[in-house]
Amino acid sequence: MRLHRLDITAFGPFGGSQSVDFDALSAAGLFLLHGPTGAGKTSVLDAVCYALYGSVPGARQSGQGMHLRSDHAEPRTRTEVRLDLTVAGRRLEITRQPPWERPKLRGTGTTVDKAQTWLREYDSAAGAWKDRSRSHQEIGEEIAQLLGMSREQFCQVVLLPQGDFARFLRADAEARGRLLGRLFDTQRFADVEKRLAERRRATEARVREGDAALLADAHRMQQEAGDAMELPELAPGDPGLADAVLGAAAVARATARERLTVAHCRLAAAESAHAATRRALDEVRELARLQSRFAEARQRAERLQERAGAHHEAQRRMERSRKAEAVAPALELREAAEEEHRRAAAAEARTRGMLPDSYADAGAAGLAAAARRTAEELGGLEAARRAEQRLAELAEERSGLDRQERADEDVLRDAEAWLAEWDATRAALQSRVDSAQEAATRAEQLAVQREPMRGRLDAALTRDQLAADLQDAQRRALTSEQRALDARAHWLDLKEQRLNGIAAELAAHLTDGEPCAVCGATEHPAPARKVAGHVDRETEDRALAAYQRAEDQHTEDQRRLGVVREALAAATAEAGDTPTAQLEEAAAELEHEYARARRDASALHAAHEELRRAEHEREQRLADRQQAAVRAASRLTRRETLEREQAQLETELTKARGTSGSVAARAAQLERQAVLLTDAADAVRAAEDAAQRLKDTDARLADAAYRAGFDTPQDAAAALLDAAAHRELQHRLDAWQAEEAAVRAVLAEADTAAAAQRPPADPATAEHAAATAEHRLREAASACDAAARCCAELDRLSARAGQAVRRLAPLREEYDRVARLAALTAGTSADNERKMRLESYVLAARLEQVAAAATARLQRMSSGRYTLVHSDDRTGRGRSGLGLHVVDAWTGRERDTATLSGGETFFASLALALGLADVVTDEAGGIRLDTLFIDEGFGSLDDQTLDEVLDVLDSLRERDRSVGIVSHVPDLRRRIHAQLEVVKGRAGSALRQRGV
């Protein structure tokens, strides 16, 4: 970042307009900003900070807004700060005007104008400034992004406050950590510590909530199962809670399944009938589709046969066009040669017509020889022509003097007339400025209303979308409910089939001499046998699992339906009942008013510029009036000199002309004749060459047409197609072939041809039969609902309990992991040996970098005696890792920075400030800081140390930096030649630049 120019008006102690040329000051590398106490040295730095960030540094922030205005300023002079700088390779100009209380334009009293900000950028290609923005927020974000640092960081690394760094040098770890935290923005690491602690508490609460939810599901299962489920006394957090709940649930589910077996068997017949009718309906629909497809293909084949003749003709045209393309280059060459021959013949006739009749039959060689003879004769008149030209110049100069005299008279009249109207012009321009200012205020008021209106319109649009989503969610819930009913009916059917064949399963385990598990008999004369289609337990369990998944999906769809309803209610509450179209109209009207106000306000800068240009023109008119009088006196002497030279030249020309009327006329005649003869010779040669080329191209064209198979070149030209006709013809050929292939493919399909031979399909009868079977199935399923409800609820709750147990396992692992990380970052873990928090660890690394950067300059300032080192030691109950010591090379011992003397403390803190500036700059993305300011502290140094400190500051020029020292030490005025002096007076302070 490099500062170029600063303009201040009515700011701080400066009652009028003051300017600082930083380019001139920076050329010396070091410059001094000095002046008496209270004159306003710091106010110059405040103006730089205010231009960049819209506020002043540190404790002076209380002086914002109208308090920045100078008490010495005229009532109608507005406070303004304009800064011209280069940052990130861009030349910018920032203008800021704080709010001010001005006299009203009409009537008595005052009114408050709001703050204004302009941002302009210099376009090097166009060589002019271009407006970029007038928004406070946009300009603030743009400057912060380009500089890469906040206002606090800028004030710390560019406006180096020595008092702060002396305190930083002697501060304890806590105070040092607070300053480093602001500069390096380590809040994100503190946020990580806080976030881990919050996650630990949240995870612990989720584990306990999971146990409570699992126990609540167990109690609901116990209420549903009644005496079929026994549940011991348990509480959240008990180790055996999950195993006890899952075991009791398994027993309850087994009992409920047995009770539902009979109900499932009753649905079997209805499901079989329904499936048969659905298959019949699908077959009828497929037959109808194939018959329709075959009929359509036959119709397309007939249409293709009708267009076959046109297709063959198009193929013939395409073939002749391809042959004619071989002749196209020869045709183009022949046309070009013919056109060139016509132009050359016309040029020859035109040039011969301008020559005398004596040259009518002359060839190119004769014309060229005549041109050379004419040029030789013309050379003999060169000296006389120069004299005649000079005489004309003298006459023109005398006429110019006359014109200048008349112009000066016009300038005087215009200046007098313009200056007479100056007061009225200035009043009109000031009125335009005031009107644009009022429009800017209106625009800011409307800007406040835009965001609430946009929020309400967005809510209305969301309300309309959610209304459509609600219907879709209701439709999905109904569909999933039907699927669950179908899955349950299938499971009950399989259950009933298994119960019917349960005797065969029991008989498979009978052994002679062993008692039967059912009747107790030891003899088994006729055990039951398994029949075909027997349903085993595994098949039944798969059907049950499918039913449970369908039921879970139905539950999820119901939950989503509730979420959509709640979101619709929230959007309706925010948007109200106003139709969206009406809100859009109101929002559009507000945007229109806002745009109109901004458009009117955009004229403010132009009005300011026009007023400034008018004032400049007034000064120019006064200067022009004075210069016109000076020129009138000099014209008299010049006229006498011109008259003497003109008399001498006329004498010489009288001898040179002889009997001729004019040397210039004779020379002009010879020049025209030489040019005409040369042009005629060139035209004759060009016509002869063009005729020979035309003859050659005719022979080539005839040969190319014959080889391509055409009788004449004209036939080949007629067969050529342009690009559009060629594309259109090719498109027609491709479309015909594609259609023919598609029709053949359809007619070749075996299924389609076979379907065409069958009787027409009757989908209506099949649909009626399927609807009747479906109605009967629903009646059977409704009869089974009462018996299945208990079992379904137990299955659902049991499945949810199992899922809860599986979810809790990784959640407990996560809780253990997060708890360990939270303790480690907070410094309370045994693994953290130094008990350092995460933020302290990061700040320690930054402080180590700062100490290394500061030592490079401190050793030069102290003649190699002192070195700053970073310490990780823990001091008392404070932070560890933020210690800062100084090593004395004379004693070889490390000691506390508080033991340094006043002068040593100054240059140590200065080295620390410069080192911190370098590290913060690198942290901010490597933004170059080419202009730095150092505020006070040099009075505590002896002459030798002051020389060494100034040498270190002067070395900053190696990095193309300039350093401004803010001090009133008298010795610095002798050592530093480039100076910016602040002069204090009763009417306000003023700035003076010296030594630049």
Side-chain angles (χ1 to χ4, degrees):
M1 179 198 72
R2 177 177 295 277
L3 306 182
H4 299 294
R5 184 178 180 86
L6 175 67
D7 296 323
I8 307 172
T9 302
F11 182 86
F14 305 103
S17 296
Q18 303 293 327
S19 297
V20 180
D21 187 354
F22 283 110
D23 285 337
L25 292 172
S26 301
L30 282 178
F31 63 91
L32 178 66
L33 174 58
H34 68 93
T37 302
K41 299 187 295 298
T42 306
S43 295
V44 176
L45 308 185
D46 290 347
V48 173
C49 186
Y50 179 74
L52 292 173
Y53 293 96
S55 59
V56 296
R60 300 188 294 277
Q61 293 183 51
S62 59
Q64 297 295 299
M66 291 181 287
H67 298 290
L68 293 175
R69 179 173 175 78
S70 175
D71 295 334
H72 302 284
E74 294 294 331
R76 293 190 177 274
T77 300
R78 179 155 192 177
T79 302
E80 180 179 276
V81 176
R82 179 182 290 111
L83 179 63
D84 180 4
L85 76 161
T86 297
V87 58
R90 297 171 60 184
R91 182 76 177 265
L92 303 176
E93 182 189 83
I94 310 168
T95 304
R96 292 189 186 270
Q97 295 178 347
W100 72 308
E101 187 175 356
R102 63 169 175 83
K104 292 183 178 179
L105 299 178
R106 290 180 291 275
T108 60
T110 60
T111 184
V112 176
D113 282 351
K114 293 187 176 181
Q116 300 289 326
T117 306
W118 294 271
L119 177 63
R120 300 198 304 167
E121 182 173 1
Y122 185 75
D123 187 347
S124 57
W129 290 92
K130 292 187 177 180
D131 294 334
R132 291 302 182 198
S133 178
R134 289 173 52 91
S135 168
H136 301 297
Q137 182 177 359
E138 291 179 0
I139 296 174
E141 293 175 354
E142 180 80 6
I143 296 302
Q145 182 179 3
L146 291 174
L147 290 176
M149 59 182 73
S150 63
R151 179 180 60 82
E152 290 77 9
Q153 290 176 317
F154 177 84
C155 295
Q156 204 73 43
V157 303
V158 178
L159 313 179
L160 302 180
Q162 291 305 307
D164 288 353
F165 281 96
R167 288 191 294 274
F168 178 78
L169 192 66
R170 295 191 172 101
D172 57 12
E174 290 295 331
R176 196 170 287 146
R178 286 193 295 271
L179 176 59
L180 291 175
R182 291 196 305 271
L183 291 179
F184 292 107
D185 190 19
T186 57
Q187 181 61 36
R188 60 187 183 277
F189 299 103
D191 293 341
V192 169
E193 299 174 19
K194 181 179 178 182
R195 176 58 179 163
L196 286 173
E198 292 175 352
R199 284 192 60 188
R200 179 185 60 188
R201 292 190 295 269
T203 309
E204 182 180 7
R206 289 170 60 193
V207 170
R208 296 186 63 85
E209 289 175 0
D211 284 347
L214 180 61
L215 190 57
D217 287 342
H219 288 155
R220 285 196 290 272
M221 285 190 288
Q222 187 178 28
Q223 293 175 358
E224 190 69 30
D227 56 359
M229 180 177 179
E230 295 182 1
L231 188 66
E233 292 294 333
L234 298 170
D238 289 349
L241 176 63
D243 293 339
V245 170
L246 294 179
V251 174
R253 288 200 312 274
T255 303
R257 289 193 187 97
E258 295 297 332
R259 294 175 180 175
L260 284 176
T261 300
V262 176
H264 278 281
C265 296
R266 296 176 180 174
L267 290 176
E271 290 179 347
S272 299
H274 178 261
T277 56
R278 293 299 302 179
R279 286 194 297 271
L281 177 59
D282 292 341
E283 292 175 356
V284 171
R285 287 176 175 170
E286 178 63 15
L287 177 61
R289 185 186 69 81
L290 293 174
Q291 290 176 345
S292 175
R293 179 178 174 84
F294 183 82
E296 182 183 356
R298 291 294 300 273
Q299 293 176 0
R300 291 164 63 187
E302 293 174 358
R303 288 194 296 270
L304 282 175
Q305 186 62 32
E306 294 173 358
R307 300 199 306 269
H311 174 68
H312 295 321
E313 176 62 22
Q315 286 180 323
R316 189 186 66 80
R317 286 185 60 197
M318 181 61 72
E319 182 63 26
R320 285 180 59 80
S321 175
R322 291 194 182 98
K323 292 180 179 180
E325 288 175 356
V327 189
L331 285 169
E332 294 174 357
L333 289 176
R334 203 285 177 183
E335 291 177 359
E338 185 178 6
E339 177 63 24
E340 183 181 1
H341 179 262
R342 284 197 299 269
R343 288 198 301 268
E348 179 186 5
R350 184 170 59 254
T351 54
R352 283 187 180 276
M354 300 172 65
L355 294 175
D357 295 339
S358 59
Y359 297 105
D361 298 328
L367 293 173
R372 286 193 297 272
R373 290 193 300 272
T374 303
E376 291 173 358
E377 183 179 356
L378 179 63
L381 295 177
E382 184 63 28
R385 185 167 57 181
R386 286 196 299 270
E388 189 174 49
Q389 183 178 2
R390 176 56 183 162
L391 185 63
E393 291 174 355
L394 292 177
E396 179 63 25
E397 187 172 356
R398 291 191 62 183
S399 300
L401 291 176
D402 295 338
R403 288 194 299 273
Q404 185 181 13
E405 183 177 4
R406 291 192 296 272
D408 285 343
E409 292 175 355
D410 294 339
V411 167
L412 290 173
R413 285 195 299 272
D414 292 345
E416 293 296 339
W418 193 93
L419 291 172
E421 300 293 332
W422 164 243
D423 293 336
T425 301
R426 188 180 186 283
L429 292 175
Q430 186 63 43
S431 175
R432 287 180 55 192
V433 171
D434 296 339
S435 299
Q437 183 65 51
E438 293 175 358
T441 303
R442 173 62 177 164
E444 293 185 358
Q445 294 173 352
L446 293 174
V448 176
Q449 305 174 16
R450 295 171 65 206
E451 192 62 30
M453 175 58 73
R454 289 177 179 172
R456 190 177 178 191
L457 178 58
D458 292 341
L461 295 172
T462 303
R463 176 194 63 194
D464 298 343
Q465 180 62 39
L466 288 174
D469 293 345
L470 179 62
Q471 297 179 0
D472 186 54
Q474 289 173 341
R475 184 166 56 255
R476 285 198 300 268
L478 291 175
T479 302
S480 62
E481 180 181 12
Q482 183 60 43
R483 290 175 180 169
L485 291 175
D486 295 343
R488 181 176 57 190
H490 178 60
W491 170 57
L492 293 177
D493 178 41
L494 294 179
K495 182 70 173 179
E496 183 176 3
Q497 294 180 29
R498 180 171 175 269
L499 291 177
N500 291 338
I502 197 66
E505 288 189 19
L506 295 175
H509 301 285
L510 292 178
T511 305
D512 292 338
E514 296 294 332
C516 176
V518 178
C519 63
T522 57
E523 295 181 359
H524 318 294
R529 304 294 181 186
K530 291 185 178 180
V531 298
H534 175 71
V535 177
D536 55 12
R537 187 176 187 84
E538 183 180 357
T539 303
E540 179 191 354
D541 290 342
R542 286 198 301 269
L544 175 59
Y547 162 59
Q548 291 173 347
R549 289 194 299 270
E551 183 65 22
D552 291 342
Q553 181 63 42
H554 174 55
T555 303
E556 176 64 18
D557 290 343
Q558 289 287 356
R559 184 192 65 78
R560 291 177 181 173
L561 178 60
V563 170
V564 173
R565 284 174 175 165
E566 292 176 0
L568 177 60
T572 304
E574 182 177 357
D577 297 330
T578 305
T580 304
Q582 185 175 346
L583 289 176
E584 290 177 343
E585 183 178 355
E589 179 64 23
L590 179 60
E591 289 294 334
H592 175 71
E593 291 293 330
Y594 175 69
R596 184 172 59 185
R598 285 199 63 181
R599 185 175 60 253
D600 295 341
S602 64
L604 178 59
H605 183 69
H608 276 298
E609 291 297 326
E610 188 171 354
L611 178 58
R612 188 180 293 109
R613 286 195 299 269
E615 292 174 346
H616 177 72
E617 184 177 358
R618 176 176 176 271
E619 296 175 358
Q620 186 64 40
R621 295 275 186 168
L622 293 174
D624 291 344
R625 186 171 61 182
Q626 183 178 1
Q627 292 173 2
V630 174
R631 289 194 298 271
S634 65
R635 278 193 295 270
L636 295 175
T637 303
R638 183 59 181 166
R639 277 200 179 96
E640 294 176 357
T641 302
L642 294 178
E643 288 174 355
R644 288 194 299 271
E645 184 177 0
Q646 184 176 13
Q648 182 180 357
L649 289 175
E650 287 178 350
T651 301
E652 294 176 359
L653 286 175
T654 301
K655 297 177 181 180
R657 282 194 299 265
T659 58
S660 299
S662 169
V663 173
R666 178 58 181 166
Q669 178 183 3
L670 292 175
E671 287 177 353
R672 287 194 299 272
Q673 184 175 351
V675 170
L676 288 175
L677 290 172
T678 302
D679 291 344
D682 293 340
V684 170
R685 282 194 293 269
E688 293 172 353
D689 294 341
Q692 183 60 38
R693 281 194 292 273
L694 178 60
K695 182 178 180 182
D696 294 342
T697 55
D698 284 336
R700 293 177 186 174
L701 176 60
D703 183 61
Y706 176 76
R707 287 198 303 270
F710 293 97
D711 295 337
T712 63
Q714 290 75 15
D715 293 341
L720 276 175
L721 294 175
D722 57 22
H726 187 277
R727 286 195 301 270
E728 192 274 335
L729 185 59
Q730 186 64 48
H731 176 72
R732 286 165 49 192
L733 292 174
D734 294 343
W736 196 94
Q737 292 176 357
E739 177 69 7
E740 183 183 27
V743 170
R744 288 178 179 175
V746 173
L747 295 178
E749 294 175 355
D751 294 344
T752 305
Q757 304 301 322
R758 296 176 60 183
D762 187 6
T765 302
E767 289 174 356
H768 177 71
T772 302
E774 185 177 1
H775 177 70
R776 291 173 181 173
L777 178 60
R778 289 179 180 175
E779 289 179 348
S782 298
C784 191
D785 282 345
R789 187 175 298 107
C790 177
C791 183
E793 184 66 16
L794 286 175
D795 289 339
R796 185 182 66 81
L797 293 174
S798 179
R800 190 165 71 178
Q803 294 174 357
V805 171
R806 290 191 293 274
R807 286 196 303 269
L808 281 175
L811 189 60
R812 291 183 187 278
E813 295 178 1
E814 180 185 359
Y815 168 68
D816 295 338
R817 183 173 63 255
V818 171
R820 288 196 302 273
L821 282 176
L824 181 64
T825 57
T828 60
S829 172
D831 297 333
N832 192 335
E833 297 178 358
R834 295 186 178 275
K835 305 300 181 184
M836 291 179 65
R837 290 171 44 211
L838 178 60
E839 183 183 13
S840 298
Y841 178 79
V842 175
L843 291 177
R846 291 289 186 262
L847 182 58
E848 187 173 5
Q849 295 175 348
V850 172
T855 295
R857 296 186 174 93
L858 178 58
Q859 288 182 340
R860 290 187 59 186
M861 294 180 186
S862 62
S863 300
R865 179 178 179 182
Y866 293 118
T867 301
L868 281 176
V869 295
H870 159 255
S871 174
D872 282 334
D873 295 338
R874 184 180 179 91
T875 57
R877 301 180 60 187
R879 300 191 188 195
S880 64
L882 297 179
L884 195 62
H885 295 164
V886 63
V887 177
D888 191 344
W890 290 3
T891 63
R893 300 176 62 86
E894 181 178 310
R895 56 193 176 99
D896 194 285
T897 55
T899 61
L900 296 173
S901 66
E904 293 170 340
T905 298
F906 165 72
F907 64 68
S909 61
L910 176 58
L912 185 63
L914 295 174
L916 186 60
D918 290 341
V919 175
V920 171
T921 299
D922 295 338
E923 176 74 10
I927 299 298
R928 286 183 54 85
L929 300 177
D930 298 322
T931 307
L932 299 177
F933 295 91
I934 300 175
D935 193 356
E936 292 299 343
F938 292 86
S940 59
L941 304 179
D942 56 55
D943 291 343
Q944 180 180 355
T945 306
L946 182 59
D947 288 337
E948 293 172 346
V949 170
L950 291 179
D951 287 343
V952 171
L953 294 178
D954 191 57
S955 68
L956 294 176
R957 288 189 295 177
E958 298 174 0
R959 301 177 63 179
D960 197 22
R961 281 181 171 176
S962 61
V963 179
I965 298 176
V966 184
S967 178
H968 44 62
V969 176
D971 194 30
L972 290 176
R973 302 178 195 173
R974 295 190 298 273
R975 296 171 182 261
I976 302 175
H977 300 290
Q979 299 178 10
L980 177 62
E981 181 183 4
V982 185
V983 181
K984 182 168 60 176
R986 288 184 174 274
S989 298
L991 296 174
R992 298 176 183 173
Q993 294 189 201
R994 303 177 183 272
V996 297

